[in-house]
Amino acid sequence: MASASNASRRGGTARPPVMGRPRDTSRDLAILDATLSLLTEVGYEQLSMEAVAIRSGAAKTTIYRRYRDKAALVAAAVEHRSHAIPPEPVADDLRGNLLGLVAWLARQIAEQEIDLLGALFAGMRSDARLAEEMRRILRRDQAAMTDEPLRNAIRDGEQLAPQAAELFAEIAPAVIVHRIVFAGEPCDEPFVEHLVEDILLPLLRSH
Protein backbone atom coordinates (compact mmCIF):
# COMPACT_ATOMS: atom_id res chain seq x y z
CA MET A 1 0.00 0.00 0.00
CA ALA A 2 1.43 3.41 -0.94
CA SER A 3 2.18 5.81 1.86
CA ALA A 4 0.23 9.07 2.33
CA SER A 5 3.28 11.09 1.27
CA ASN A 6 3.61 9.01 -1.94
CA ALA A 7 -0.07 9.51 -2.67
CA SER A 8 0.37 13.23 -2.20
CA ARG A 9 3.31 13.34 -4.60
CA ARG A 10 1.25 11.47 -7.24
CA GLY A 11 -1.59 13.94 -6.86
CA GLY A 12 -3.68 11.69 -4.62
CA THR A 13 -5.50 12.87 -1.52
CA ALA A 14 -3.50 12.62 1.68
CA ARG A 15 -5.10 12.57 5.09
CA PRO A 16 -4.70 15.83 7.05
CA PRO A 17 -2.12 15.79 9.82
CA VAL A 18 -3.37 14.76 13.21
CA MET A 19 -3.64 17.78 15.49
CA GLY A 20 -3.06 17.71 19.22
CA ARG A 21 -5.83 18.49 21.67
CA PRO A 22 -6.58 22.23 21.97
CA ARG A 23 -5.33 23.87 25.14
CA ASP A 24 -7.90 23.76 27.94
CA THR A 25 -8.41 27.40 28.94
CA SER A 26 -10.54 26.40 31.94
CA ARG A 27 -7.56 24.45 33.26
CA ASP A 28 -5.38 27.55 32.81
CA LEU A 29 -7.80 29.65 34.83
CA ALA A 30 -7.98 27.02 37.57
CA ILE A 31 -4.18 26.98 37.83
CA LEU A 32 -3.89 30.78 37.99
CA ASP A 33 -6.74 31.13 40.51
CA ALA A 34 -5.20 28.42 42.70
CA THR A 35 -1.84 30.19 42.54
CA LEU A 36 -3.29 33.50 43.73
CA SER A 37 -5.28 31.81 46.48
CA LEU A 38 -2.28 29.88 47.81
CA LEU A 39 0.03 32.87 47.47
CA THR A 40 -2.30 34.87 49.70
CA GLU A 41 -2.66 32.00 52.19
CA VAL A 42 0.92 30.77 52.60
CA GLY A 43 3.18 33.40 50.99
CA TYR A 44 5.66 33.10 48.16
CA GLU A 45 8.31 31.08 49.99
CA GLN A 46 5.89 28.30 50.95
CA LEU A 47 4.08 28.26 47.61
CA SER A 48 4.87 25.13 45.58
CA MET A 49 3.96 23.75 42.19
CA GLU A 50 2.72 20.59 43.95
CA ALA A 51 0.27 22.60 46.08
CA VAL A 52 -1.00 24.47 43.03
CA ALA A 53 -1.51 21.16 41.22
CA ILE A 54 -3.53 19.76 44.12
CA ARG A 55 -5.64 22.91 44.56
CA SER A 56 -6.34 23.32 40.84
CA GLY A 57 -6.82 19.65 40.00
CA ALA A 58 -4.14 19.85 37.30
CA ALA A 59 -1.21 17.52 36.90
CA LYS A 60 2.12 18.94 38.00
CA THR A 61 3.52 18.11 34.57
CA THR A 62 0.80 20.27 33.02
CA ILE A 63 1.85 23.23 35.14
CA TYR A 64 5.53 22.79 34.27
CA ARG A 65 4.68 22.62 30.57
CA ARG A 66 3.01 26.02 30.81
CA TYR A 67 5.33 27.80 33.26
CA ARG A 68 9.07 27.36 33.49
CA ASP A 69 9.25 27.99 37.24
CA LYS A 70 7.37 29.35 40.23
CA ALA A 71 8.23 32.96 39.39
CA ALA A 72 6.74 32.63 35.90
CA LEU A 73 3.61 31.01 37.35
CA VAL A 74 3.09 33.78 39.90
CA ALA A 75 3.71 36.49 37.32
CA ALA A 76 1.13 34.91 34.99
CA ALA A 77 -1.37 34.79 37.85
CA VAL A 78 -0.78 38.47 38.64
CA GLU A 79 -1.22 39.41 34.99
CA HIS A 80 -4.43 37.35 34.88
CA ARG A 81 -5.77 39.26 37.91
CA SER A 82 -4.59 42.73 36.85
CA HIS A 83 -6.23 43.16 33.49
CA ALA A 84 -7.85 46.58 33.94
CA ILE A 85 -7.18 49.20 31.28
CA PRO A 86 -6.20 52.76 32.29
CA PRO A 87 -8.70 55.48 31.39
CA GLU A 88 -8.35 57.39 28.16
CA PRO A 89 -7.04 60.94 28.68
CA VAL A 90 -10.10 63.09 28.01
CA ALA A 91 -9.27 66.32 29.86
CA ASP A 92 -7.87 69.38 28.14
CA ASP A 93 -4.78 69.61 30.34
CA LEU A 94 -2.23 67.48 32.17
CA ARG A 95 -3.74 68.17 35.58
CA GLY A 96 -7.15 66.86 34.56
CA ASN A 97 -5.74 63.73 32.97
CA LEU A 98 -3.55 63.02 35.99
CA LEU A 99 -6.53 63.39 38.32
CA GLY A 100 -8.40 60.74 36.35
CA LEU A 101 -5.38 58.45 36.12
CA VAL A 102 -4.46 58.68 39.82
CA ALA A 103 -8.07 58.09 40.90
CA TRP A 104 -8.16 54.98 38.70
CA LEU A 105 -4.80 53.75 40.01
CA ALA A 106 -5.93 54.26 43.61
CA ARG A 107 -9.04 52.14 42.97
CA GLN A 108 -6.94 49.37 41.40
CA ILE A 109 -4.56 49.26 44.36
CA ALA A 110 -7.36 49.48 46.94
CA GLU A 111 -9.05 46.45 45.39
CA GLN A 112 -5.95 44.28 45.84
CA GLU A 113 -5.77 42.04 48.89
CA ILE A 114 -3.21 43.30 51.37
CA ASP A 115 -1.93 39.77 52.02
CA LEU A 116 -1.37 39.29 48.29
CA LEU A 117 0.62 42.52 48.00
CA GLY A 118 2.68 41.54 51.03
CA ALA A 119 3.42 38.11 49.57
CA LEU A 120 4.55 39.66 46.28
CA PHE A 121 6.78 42.23 47.99
CA ALA A 122 8.41 39.56 50.15
CA GLY A 123 8.84 37.24 47.18
CA MET A 124 10.49 39.95 45.09
CA ARG A 125 13.05 40.49 47.85
CA SER A 126 13.98 36.81 48.05
CA ASP A 127 13.67 35.65 44.42
CA ALA A 128 15.46 37.55 41.67
CA ARG A 129 13.41 35.75 39.01
CA LEU A 130 10.14 36.96 40.52
CA ALA A 131 11.54 40.48 40.83
CA GLU A 132 12.51 40.36 37.16
CA GLU A 133 9.04 39.17 36.11
CA MET A 134 7.24 41.76 38.23
CA ARG A 135 9.43 44.57 36.90
CA ARG A 136 8.55 43.47 33.38
CA ILE A 137 4.85 43.75 34.25
CA LEU A 138 5.38 47.11 35.95
CA ARG A 139 7.24 48.50 32.93
CA ARG A 140 4.42 47.41 30.65
CA ASP A 141 1.78 48.90 32.95
CA GLN A 142 3.81 52.10 33.30
CA ALA A 143 3.82 52.56 29.55
CA ALA A 144 0.08 51.84 29.33
CA MET A 145 -0.66 54.41 32.04
CA THR A 146 1.56 57.30 31.07
CA ASP A 147 2.40 57.21 27.36
CA GLU A 148 -0.68 58.94 26.04
CA PRO A 149 -1.25 61.53 28.82
CA LEU A 150 2.38 62.66 28.79
CA ARG A 151 2.59 62.64 25.01
CA ASN A 152 -0.53 64.82 24.84
CA ALA A 153 0.92 67.18 27.44
CA ILE A 154 4.15 67.62 25.46
CA ARG A 155 2.14 68.20 22.29
CA ASP A 156 0.20 70.92 24.13
CA GLY A 157 3.40 72.69 25.13
CA GLU A 158 4.11 71.28 28.59
CA GLN A 159 7.79 71.25 29.53
CA LEU A 160 8.17 67.96 31.37
CA ALA A 161 11.09 66.63 33.35
CA PRO A 162 13.34 63.99 31.80
CA GLN A 163 12.11 60.51 32.69
CA ALA A 164 8.68 61.91 33.65
CA ALA A 165 7.03 58.53 33.11
CA GLU A 166 9.50 56.84 35.47
CA LEU A 167 8.90 59.53 38.09
CA PHE A 168 5.16 58.94 37.95
CA ALA A 169 5.60 55.17 38.18
CA GLU A 170 7.93 55.46 41.18
CA ILE A 171 5.97 58.02 43.18
CA ALA A 172 2.24 57.64 42.56
CA PRO A 173 1.86 53.92 43.45
CA ALA A 174 4.19 54.26 46.46
CA VAL A 175 2.24 57.16 47.94
CA ILE A 176 -1.07 55.39 47.31
CA VAL A 177 0.13 52.14 48.92
CA HIS A 178 1.40 54.09 51.95
CA ARG A 179 -1.94 55.86 52.26
CA ILE A 180 -3.99 52.65 52.07
CA VAL A 181 -1.75 50.12 53.83
CA PHE A 182 0.22 52.09 56.40
CA ALA A 183 -1.93 55.13 57.12
CA GLY A 184 -5.18 53.17 56.78
CA GLU A 185 -6.85 56.10 55.06
CA PRO A 186 -8.95 56.15 51.89
CA CYS A 187 -7.72 57.67 48.63
CA ASP A 188 -10.62 60.08 48.44
CA GLU A 189 -10.95 63.05 46.12
CA PRO A 190 -9.08 65.55 48.36
CA PHE A 191 -6.17 63.13 48.66
CA VAL A 192 -6.06 62.52 44.90
CA GLU A 193 -6.03 66.29 44.30
CA HIS A 194 -3.23 66.71 46.87
CA LEU A 195 -1.15 63.96 45.27
CA VAL A 196 -1.56 65.45 41.80
CA GLU A 197 -1.30 69.17 42.57
CA ASP A 198 1.26 69.23 45.39
CA ILE A 199 3.50 66.26 44.49
CA LEU A 200 3.20 64.97 40.95
CA LEU A 201 2.74 68.13 38.90
CA PRO A 202 5.70 70.00 40.47
CA LEU A 203 7.94 66.96 39.94
CA LEU A 204 6.81 66.16 36.41
CA ARG A 205 7.17 69.78 35.36
CA SER A 206 10.62 70.29 36.87
CA HIS A 207 13.48 70.50 34.39
Side-chain angles (χ1 to χ4, degrees):
M1 180 179 294
S3 67
S5 59
N6 289 337
S8 178
R9 283 195 297 269
R10 292 195 303 267
T13 301
R15 285 183 293 177
V18 177
M19 303 296 290
R21 288 187 301 173
R23 182 158 166 166
D24 186 350
T25 56
S26 65
R27 181 59 53 84
D28 286 327
L29 294 178
I31 292 170
L32 298 177
D33 287 342
T35 300
L36 288 173
S37 176
L38 286 166
L39 183 62
T40 302
E41 292 173 18
V42 304
Y44 185 77
E45 288 295 327
Q46 299 302 315
L47 179 69
S48 68
M49 298 295 220
E50 290 82 359
V52 172
I54 293 170
R55 178 71 62 91
S56 66
K60 189 167 67 170
T61 53
T62 299
I63 298 175
Y64 274 110
R65 279 199 302 268
R66 286 162 165 75
Y67 310 102
R68 57 180 282 195
D69 54 21
K70 183 167 74 170
L73 172 60
V74 169
V78 170
E79 289 188 288
H80 160 63
R81 181 185 178 96
S82 306
H83 58 274
I85 300 173
E88 293 287 333
V90 296
D92 294 330
D93 59 1
L94 179 59
R95 175 187 177 276
N97 286 324
L98 286 180
L99 286 171
L101 181 57
V102 169
W104 172 85
L105 181 61
R107 288 194 299 272
Q108 297 303 308
I109 294 175
E111 290 171 1
Q112 300 298 318
E113 297 178 35
I114 299 302
D115 289 343
L116 176 60
L117 292 176
L120 288 171
F121 294 154
M124 290 174 68
R125 290 171 55 191
S126 63
D127 186 340
R129 276 275 303 125
L130 179 64
E132 175 188 345
E133 291 284 352
M134 294 307 299
R135 290 187 187 107
R136 174 185 59 79
I137 296 171
L138 291 172
R139 284 193 296 269
R140 182 204 63 195
D141 291 349
Q142 169 192 315
M145 283 192 298
T146 59
D147 276 2
E148 194 169 355
L150 297 185
R151 187 167 58 247
N152 290 351
I154 293 171
R155 184 196 60 205
D156 293 339
E158 288 274 7
Q159 298 295 316
L160 299 183
Q163 310 299 318
E166 288 81 354
L167 282 172
F168 179 93
E170 289 176 4
I171 295 166
V175 175
I176 292 169
V177 168
H178 183 274
R179 172 82 171 181
I180 294 172
V181 176
F182 297 101
E185 298 289 340
C187 292
D188 51 15
E189 186 175 347
F191 171 78
V192 170
E193 291 180 352
H194 161 64
L195 176 52
V196 169
E197 295 175 353
D198 300 329
I199 300 174
L200 291 173
L201 280 175
L203 285 171
L204 297 182
R205 285 172 170 162
S206 63
H207 55 278

